Amino acid sequence: MRDLEKFHPAALGVYFVCVLGILMFLNNPVIIVISLFSGAFLVLLLKKFELKSLVFLTSLLLLICISNPLVSHKGATPLFYFNSSPITLQSVVYGLFFALMLIAVIIWCKILNFVLGGDSFIYLFSKPLPKTALILKLSLRFIPLFKQQYHKTKNSVKVLGLYNGNKKIKSEIRVINAVIAFMVENSIETARAMNARSYNNKYRSRYRFKKFGVYDFCFLVLTLILATLTVVFKQKFYFYPNFSEVSFSLGYLTFFVLAFMPIFIVLKGELKWKFLISKI
Amino acid sequence: MEILNIKDLSFSYPKQDEKAIEIADFSVNQGDFVLLCGKSGCGKTTLLKLLKKEISPFGTLKGKIDLNTENIGFVFQNPEEQIISENVKSEFAFGLENLKLSTDEISLRIAETASYLGISYLINKKTAELSGGEKQLVNLGAVLAMRPELLLFDEPTAFLDPICAKKFIDLIFRINRELGITVIIAEHSLNELFSLSSRVCFLEKGKIACYDTPQKTAKFLKNNEFEKALPTSARIFNMLDFEGEPPLNISEAKKFIEENFKPDRFEFEIEKFKDNALEVKNVWFRYEKNSPDILKGVNFELKQGEILSILGGNGSGKTTLLNLLSKLLKAYSGKILVFGKDIKKFGGNSLYSENLSYLPQNPTSVFVSQTVLEDFREIEKDENVIKSIASKFGVLHLLARHPFDLSGGEMQKCALIKVLFKKPKILLLDEPTKSLDAVFENDLADILKMLKSEGVSIIVVTHNVEFAATISDRCALLFDGELTAICEKHKFFSQNQYFTTASSRIAKSVFENAVLQKEVVALCQKQKG
Amino acid sequence: MKRTIILVFILIFSLSSCTGFESVEEYNKRNTTKKSNITATVSIDCKDVLKNIKTLDKAVKKIIPKNAYFLKNYKASVEKGDTAYSLILKVAKNNNIQIDCLSPQESSYNTAYVKGIGNLYEKDCGKNSGWIFYVNGVSSQVGCSDYYVKDKDVIEFTYICDINKIYQKEEK
């Protein structure tokens, strides 16, 4: 068993497609809650938790919960009336679960970004679409460069007294203009360096730094089986006009296992290390 | 065995009549270490680029370039512009993928090259996190992994600080000696390179003026304007009109002084300054709550009309200090007073009008327009004033050019002028001599001295010990978050063993307090009579 | 910047919500109909659904009344200037039937649009299903807020499962 990041990008890619697909298209509160918990737990385990994002997510939740009832008056149980339109329990709850679904998607995307970061993601494309992969690679390199140059230019512009706090948009545009000019210059030089390293359009080999092993195969097969079972045994949930009943279904169990697979991998790895170290 | 032979080569850029290169005869043997030197614009870069067909410039080419190998590696000036990937391993793999190697072969070469260069600890890092020196090392590694037989370097240390530059040059030298790879390197800072090269080629206006051993070239350059770029050891010798060949490194020069001169001391005057332009009192700073302190109680004053140099190694916090002084960052403890007024009380942009100006490390961030003239017009509305100041500094011919088309030295000058249009009384410079050749460095020193005579107080943050010694009144060392050893420059440099000028290291045992070249020469000439 | 956005939000929200809050009881107590001499007969039914029970969305199966009539032959008092739209709103409220519609200002057809009555919404029985209304047995040519109710009119709001079939019928 190895670290989550060390799995083959193709296996991980399929996993995330399955989880996110089920989460977004099945629209079932039980599934949403399971994804939310497993996603949040995984983020904590991977130590990628940030307080700032929690604030953002809570405000998103509140925003959607408040705006959905104002827009949709469907539902059999009005709680109170606002401007002669009913604010119903069903639309509040629908808004709540919709927001939770969005939050779960955001959390899982964060995990995806961590696990399938940068190079691994590009690696997925390098065999089928090598030129696209190369362009992606270059873009990834340019993003942090853009950020750095933006800060430097902003500081320079400030010190020259040209950054007006009142005309913020104009000043920002000036900064961004300069940064774009810099990026264009930089890209010409990068092209020249690529040429100097004998870059040619025709045939290039592909550096396969991740091999598809037994663990990856098992992971992939397990993912596909669980995902298929979840979809087959899905329970359609209705919000309007009344909530449909939620009963135990095999689909929920298989999705639970699917969602907790990465947690299991991470935990097992940590426990193993602790055990090995304690033996020293 | 010859690896390169050039006969009757001439090259001119498109739409230009004058020839950029005109070389009758130039040959390099395998295993040679050739140094190309010359003023900015003499044709070094053009010659190097012509040797690699993938990056040859467009233009009219006549004559023959005979290369005995196809496998040529090229390392450019700017470490940032050569990076292609987001992480180091990919960077190495890029060139190897271009060579159509298999995965196993690529892994082997990456491992081998990284270990040889001592950069294995960088292999899993992201390129955005590397320092300039580390980036240039990664570039070198990526090129070296392709196993070239000839390595071309175009001013590779221009953007590096002297300590990194020295390490880089040592590495190139090792590669040449241990692996037998031929090296042709064009450089400005010649202090270390001169003694290491097997041959030195001096270019003047596209023609080879001298192509010989380092000693003979040093003697040849004695009466040339480019003499300023020679290592201090050779310069001192040349200025004294001795017979024989000049010493090329410090130990030889030290022996030369000890054998020929008697102990003496250099008398200097300490200039008195009155009022404070800047006061920094017990300033503490860190970037985030949980990160370590970068500045731990920095205390100093900048007097009006003085030039203060702050030296220190990489990451010691020098740029952070300048950011604090120009109100771009806030210290969490301590006070900064500008002309007696607390810096926090300067509202809006009032600090930057006629008070304080800051020239950052990379001058590209200063320019936002299409031409230099437009950039200047952003700050100074009166065109006559612009033109008069431009001619005063000798950049009138650059006004119509695009800022990014300028050479390093020209860009630095124009950036400085743009900042000066704000008529600051305090000027902060961050590494102003990066990528400048000796002639421009001299120019810059003259400009700063002129500003000082007009009453401007200047802080220069630099690694360049020689430059600091030339222009400053006082010097200070930033180490472990504190500013230590603030004192007059002669005292500062003569009490240091390592962080001191070449002249000081050469003459220390014989001449007391002699820190600058001209001081050593003056004492020598006094004795010579 | 963030603070100002939040403050603006709070301001807009509080201003707009100063009016309009009522609890369920208060709403139901509000009786705005005045007695008048003009009457009309109103019916709300979904007979078409019973014929197409297979295409009905499972969620709404339970709210379909047994005889497919939400309201049968109700005599409503018509005030001066009442349209079919204002009438059905009053009638539904008085009989505790849920109704959800877009007022002429909100609707994109410039006439009122009925989205759902009795928790039976448009598109619940196939993608061409929805509410239409008949006046005296003839399907209306105008929207319900453009038809002014006359004395002794018979207004029927019917849920149909395929609007195309109605159009075809009319063409014939």
Side-chain angles (χ1 to χ4, degrees):
Chain A
M1 192 69 77
R2 10 147 154 150
D3 280 337
L4 200 58
E5 301 94 72
K6 302 263 170 69
F7 276 86
H8 195 270
L12 288 172
V14 169
Y15 176 80
F16 280 103
V17 164
C18 287
V19 170
L20 285 171
I22 292 175
L23 177 62
M24 288 193 281
F25 295 114
L26 244 49
N27 212 9
N28 186 313
V30 178
I31 290 196
I32 292 174
V33 167
I34 294 176
S35 331
L36 197 62
F37 273 108
S38 64
F41 193 24
L42 194 55
V43 165
L44 282 172
L45 265 187
L46 294 174
K47 301 184 182 89
K48 290 274 157 189
F49 176 70
E50 277 170 35
L51 205 61
K52 265 194 252 176
S53 54
L54 192 67
V55 171
F56 167 71
L57 292 175
T58 330
S59 41
L60 184 70
L61 180 79
L62 283 174
L63 187 70
I64 296 182
C65 275
I66 292 176
S67 52
N68 191 57
L70 291 176
V71 170
S72 171
H73 302 293
K74 274 179 157 184
T77 328
L79 296 168
F80 54 86
Y81 281 83
F82 180 69
N83 279 346
S84 300
S85 308
I87 306 286
T88 61
L89 176 68
Q90 283 80 12
S91 70
V92 172
V93 171
Y94 181 82
L96 177 73
F97 277 104
F98 186 75
L100 287 178
M101 191 259 281
L102 277 182
I103 292 173
V105 168
I106 291 174
I107 291 178
W108 277 95
C109 282
K110 196 172 192 168
I111 298 170
L112 183 134
N113 187 32
F114 169 71
V115 169
L116 261 193
D119 247 18
S120 301
F121 179 70
I122 294 168
Y123 182 71
L124 274 179
F125 290 93
S126 59
K127 191 155 193 202
L129 303 163
K131 289 200 184 132
T132 318
L134 188 64
I135 294 181
L136 278 175
K137 196 179 191 174
L138 290 171
S139 333
L140 261 191
R141 137 100 189 120
F142 281 122
I143 293 172
L145 183 65
F146 189 92
K147 278 195 215 164
Q148 282 174 356
Q149 187 66 10
Y150 172 78
H151 285 299
K152 280 192 208 162
T153 312
K154 190 167 175 177
N155 277 348
S156 305
V157 171
K158 269 191 188 167
V159 171
L160 288 170
L162 294 169
Y163 196 89
N164 204 331
N166 302 325
K167 294 188 198 163
K168 224 171 188 180
I169 296 178
K170 209 174 170 189
S171 315
E172 290 286 341
I173 290 178
R174 173 189 262 126
V175 172
I176 291 181
N177 259 337
V179 180
I180 291 179
F182 169 81
M183 297 298 285
V184 171
E185 279 296 317
N186 197 310
S187 51
I188 297 175
E189 291 297 322
T190 307
R192 194 169 338 153
M194 285 170 75
N195 264 329
R197 291 200 210 152
S198 314
Y199 174 69
N200 60 72
N201 245 333
K202 292 167 205 167
Y203 175 67
R204 292 179 74 227
S205 66
R206 187 172 144 254
Y207 182 43
R208 284 185 285 122
F209 57 91
K210 293 241 163 104
K211 296 212 170 120
F212 199 81
V214 179
Y215 284 123
D216 302 303
F217 185 72
C218 294
F219 188 81
L220 184 66
V221 167
L222 200 59
T223 308
L224 288 172
I225 292 177
L226 289 172
T228 327
L229 283 175
T230 313
V231 171
V232 164
F233 286 101
K234 71 174 188 290
Q235 242 191 24
K236 193 150 167 63
F237 187 82
Y238 302 100
F239 287 94
Y240 306 113
N242 287 304
F243 303 125
S244 62
E245 277 173 21
V246 177
S247 58
F248 181 77
S249 154
L250 188 64
Y252 295 144
L253 188 65
T254 53
F255 187 73
F256 181 83
V257 176
L258 185 67
F260 274 82
M261 258 166 70
I263 295 176
F264 175 70
I265 293 173
V266 175
L267 275 180
K268 185 164 181 194
E270 294 211 354
L271 285 174
K272 189 178 180 185
W273 274 118
K274 292 214 168 117
F275 175 66
L276 288 174
I277 290 175
S278 69
K279 270 188 159 182
I280 298 175
Chain B
M1 192 189 80
E2 261 186 12
I3 198 171
L4 165 70
N5 193 321
I6 292 182
K7 278 227 161 3
D8 297 321
L9 181 74
S10 79
F11 175 83
S12 49
Y13 282 102
K15 295 191 193 156
Q16 284 198 6
D17 292 322
E18 56 174 83
K19 297 210 168 70
I21 300 269
E22 225 178 315
I23 294 177
D25 191 2
F26 181 66
S27 71
V28 177
N29 291 323
Q30 201 180 32
D32 271 357
F33 191 114
V34 177
L35 171 64
L36 284 183
C37 58
K39 238 174 81 167
S40 281
C42 67
K44 318 189 283 292
T45 308
T46 316
L47 176 60
L48 282 176
K49 287 197 177 147
L50 284 171
L51 295 178
K52 190 152 169 70
K53 65 178 192 302
E54 289 96 333
I55 50 171
S56 272
F58 285 120
T60 22
L61 180 71
K62 289 184 203 148
K64 240 174 39 144
I65 302 179
D66 250 331
L67 276 165
N68 213 343
T69 172
E70 285 276 301
N71 213 342
I72 304 175
F74 200 109
V75 178
F76 296 83
Q77 230 187 59
N78 192 337
E80 193 73 70
E81 289 169 355
Q82 296 172 72
I83 301 270
I84 296 165
S85 311
E86 175 233 14
N87 64 23
V88 174
K89 206 171 199 182
S90 248
E91 188 70 34
F92 274 85
F94 180 76
L96 300 172
E97 281 173 342
N98 291 338
L99 293 179
K100 306 169 200 169
L101 298 174
S102 66
T103 300
D104 287 332
E105 178 96 46
I106 294 180
S107 299
L108 172 67
R109 288 210 192 176
I110 295 180
E112 187 194 32
T113 316
S115 316
Y116 180 74
L117 292 176
I119 52 174
S120 336
Y121 69 100
L122 291 177
I123 206 76
N124 284 316
K125 283 201 170 182
K126 305 241 184 279
T127 51
E129 295 166 8
L130 302 175
S131 71
E134 288 171 335
K135 278 188 185 124
Q136 195 71 310
L137 282 174
V138 167
N139 289 326
L140 177 59
V143 168
L144 205 59
M146 294 167 74
R147 305 225 175 123
E149 285 172 21
L150 172 64
L151 269 178
L152 305 173
F153 292 90
D154 186 9
E155 296 187 34
T157 62
F159 283 76
L160 306 181
D161 64 77
I163 303 167
C164 279
K166 204 162 182 317
K167 277 198 209 152
F168 195 79
I169 303 275
D170 284 342
L171 209 47
I172 301 178
F173 182 64
R174 253 183 73 199
I175 292 172
N176 171 259
R177 285 297 142 100
E178 290 176 12
L179 303 176
I181 297 178
T182 317
V183 169
I184 304 180
I185 175 168
E187 252 302 346
H188 280 315
S189 70
L190 306 175
N191 263 313
E192 296 87 23
L193 276 171
F194 230 78
S195 49
L196 296 174
S197 330
S198 48
R199 301 259 281 255
V200 176
C201 173
F202 174 63
L203 287 167
E204 211 165 15
K205 289 194 187 152
K207 302 196 183 79
I208 297 185
C210 173
Y211 181 37
D212 215 327
T213 61
Q215 289 85 351
K216 297 212 174 79
T217 316
K219 195 142 192 173
F220 172 86
L221 285 175
K222 188 166 151 179
N223 299 315
N224 194 305
E225 179 199 28
F226 196 67
E227 180 269 335
K228 294 191 192 89
L230 282 175
T232 315
S233 337
R235 286 191 77 192
I236 295 181
F237 184 91
N238 276 342
M239 282 195 221
L240 296 173
D241 274 324
F242 264 73
E243 287 295 322
E245 294 194 333
L248 291 179
N249 57 34
I250 298 199
S251 51
E252 287 177 20
K254 196 164 173 193
K255 222 166 80 174
F256 164 72
I257 299 276
E258 282 168 2
E259 285 171 1
N260 292 302
F261 297 96
K262 285 181 244 156
D264 198 349
R265 115 197 300 228
F266 182 76
E267 301 293 343
F268 58 90
E269 272 180 29
I270 303 183
E271 206 176 323
K272 299 260 183 219
F273 299 99
K274 284 184 271 173
D275 310 307
N276 284 331
L278 267 180
E279 281 173 74
V280 179
K281 296 189 179 172
N282 208 17
V283 160
W284 290 71
F285 178 80
R286 59 166 77 159
Y287 278 104
E288 277 158 36
K289 268 195 202 153
N290 300 323
S291 60
D293 281 317
I294 308 240
L295 296 173
K296 307 175 192 170
V298 172
N299 271 305
F300 72 96
E301 305 127 11
L302 175 70
K303 303 273 183 200
Q304 277 191 36
E306 85 163 325
I307 301 183
L308 172 69
S309 295
I310 299 183
L311 300 135
N314 247 341
S316 51
K318 307 194 293 294
T319 307
T320 312
L321 178 61
L322 287 185
N323 278 338
L324 284 168
L325 294 177
S326 43
K327 216 183 160 202
L328 292 167
L329 292 171
K330 262 192 245 174
Y332 70 85
S333 171
K335 252 196 196 171
I336 300 176
L337 300 171
V338 177
F339 291 120
K341 186 169 153 188
D342 192 335
I343 199 169
K344 292 183 205 155
K345 300 216 177 110
F346 282 88
N349 287 333
S350 56
L351 180 62
Y352 309 124
S353 334
E354 306 200 356
N355 275 319
L356 188 145
S357 264
Y358 171 35
L359 183 64
Q361 257 194 56
N362 194 346
T364 54
S365 51
V366 169
F367 295 106
V368 292
S369 313
Q370 296 287 345
T371 65
V372 175
L373 181 62
E374 271 177 51
D375 259 302
F376 288 168
R377 265 204 230 127
E378 268 197 321
I379 311 215
E380 175 60 63
K381 308 292 174 194
D382 189 352
E383 277 219 29
N384 294 325
V385 174
I386 295 180
K387 294 214 167 112
S388 67
I389 300 221
S391 52
K392 186 164 140 195
F393 286 100
V395 296
L396 203 56
H397 61 291
L398 299 173
L399 284 179
R401 308 253 308 260
H402 191 291
F404 290 158
D405 284 337
L406 303 171
S407 74
E410 293 169 337
M411 207 192 285
Q412 188 78 293
K413 243 196 195 172
C414 290
L416 179 60
I417 295 171
K418 184 172 178 182
V419 165
L420 287 177
F421 274 124
K422 297 227 90 171
K423 299 193 195 59
K425 297 193 201 95
I426 303 176
L427 184 61
L428 307 173
L429 300 170
D430 197 351
E431 297 281 1
T433 58
K434 237 183 193 178
S435 79
L436 287 189
D437 65 36
V439 177
F440 269 116
E441 220 179 272
N442 226 2
D443 267 352
L444 184 65
D446 289 337
I447 294 175
L448 292 180
K449 286 194 187 140
M450 179 192 73
L451 289 170
K452 177 188 150 145
S453 66
E454 292 173 7
V456 180
S457 328
I458 305 176
I459 295 184
V460 180
V461 152
T462 182
H463 286 116
N464 192 338
V465 171
E466 308 285 336
F467 185 72
T470 316
I471 52 142
S472 33
D473 298 307
R474 282 193 302 157
C475 296
L477 187 61
L478 186 58
F479 178 73
D480 198 23
E482 284 183 48
L483 211 59
T484 59
I486 311 172
C487 57
E488 196 277 332
K489 77 158 169 236
H490 288 99
K491 197 162 158 222
F492 182 82
F493 287 116
S494 28
Q495 75 191 10
N496 286 349
Q497 182 87 323
Y498 313 107
F499 234 96
T500 179
T501 61
S503 322
S504 174
R505 275 180 268 154
I506 291 172
K508 202 174 168 144
S509 49
V510 180
F511 296 139
E512 236 186 281
N513 288 338
V515 149
L516 293 172
Q517 227 166 262
K518 58 182 185 191
E519 296 167 3
V520 173
V521 170
L523 287 181
C524 290
Q525 279 174 341
K526 204 167 81 176
Q527 285 194 19
K528 214 180 154 197
Chain C
M1 190 65 176
K2 272 183 194 172
R3 272 191 220 160
T4 42
I5 294 176
I6 295 174
L7 277 174
V8 164
F9 255 115
I10 294 175
L11 204 66
I12 294 178
F13 199 67
S14 45
L15 278 178
S16 62
S17 61
C18 268
T19 59
F21 270 111
E22 331 171 74
S23 69
V24 182
E25 300 92 53
E26 286 173 21
Y27 180 77
N28 287 332
K29 280 189 196 155
R30 260 202 302 138
N31 198 341
T32 49
T33 344
K34 293 187 216 153
K35 286 276 177 187
S36 91
N37 294 328
I38 310 172
T39 57
T41 316
V42 181
S43 301
I44 308 172
D45 75 84
C46 53
K47 287 183 273 197
D48 209 20
V49 169
L50 292 179
K51 294 182 199 160
N52 294 304
I53 206 95
K54 282 186 192 162
T55 44
L56 185 66
D57 201 347
K58 289 189 198 132
V60 275
K61 261 197 176 137
K62 290 188 186 160
I63 53 104
I64 306 286
K66 288 214 177 113
N67 54 356
Y69 272 92
F70 289 98
L71 188 68
K72 196 165 186 178
N73 296 333
Y74 176 79
K75 290 231 167 6
S77 353
V78 179
E79 286 171 39
K80 199 174 179 187
D82 251 347
T83 58
Y85 169 65
S86 54
L87 190 65
I88 193 70
L89 281 179
K90 279 189 272 184
V91 164
K93 183 168 181 292
N94 289 337
N95 288 288
N96 279 329
I97 301 173
Q98 187 258 8
I99 184 163
D100 190 358
C101 39
L102 294 172
S103 66
Q105 298 88 359
E106 292 167 356
S107 156
S108 49
Y109 304 107
N110 276 326
T111 182
Y113 183 74
V114 174
K115 287 202 285 186
I117 305 181
N119 285 313
L120 181 64
Y121 274 77
E122 50 171 354
K123 301 198 181 111
D124 274 347
C125 194
K127 60 182 166 79
N128 289 323
S129 53
W131 290 96
I132 58 167
F133 77 104
Y134 288 96
V135 177
N136 299 327
V138 180
S139 83
S140 168
Q141 296 297 326
V142 297
C144 51
S145 58
D146 292 326
Y147 179 76
Y148 290 91
V149 183
K150 293 178 286 234
D151 195 15
K152 305 232 176 29
D153 268 344
V154 177
I155 313 271
E156 293 162 75
F157 272 84
T158 312
Y159 191 84
I160 42 122
C161 297
D162 196 341
I163 189 85
N164 294 328
K165 286 201 185 140
I166 305 292
Y167 287 150
Q168 285 166 356
K169 237 194 220 172
E170 284 173 10
E171 274 173 35
K172 288 178 189 169

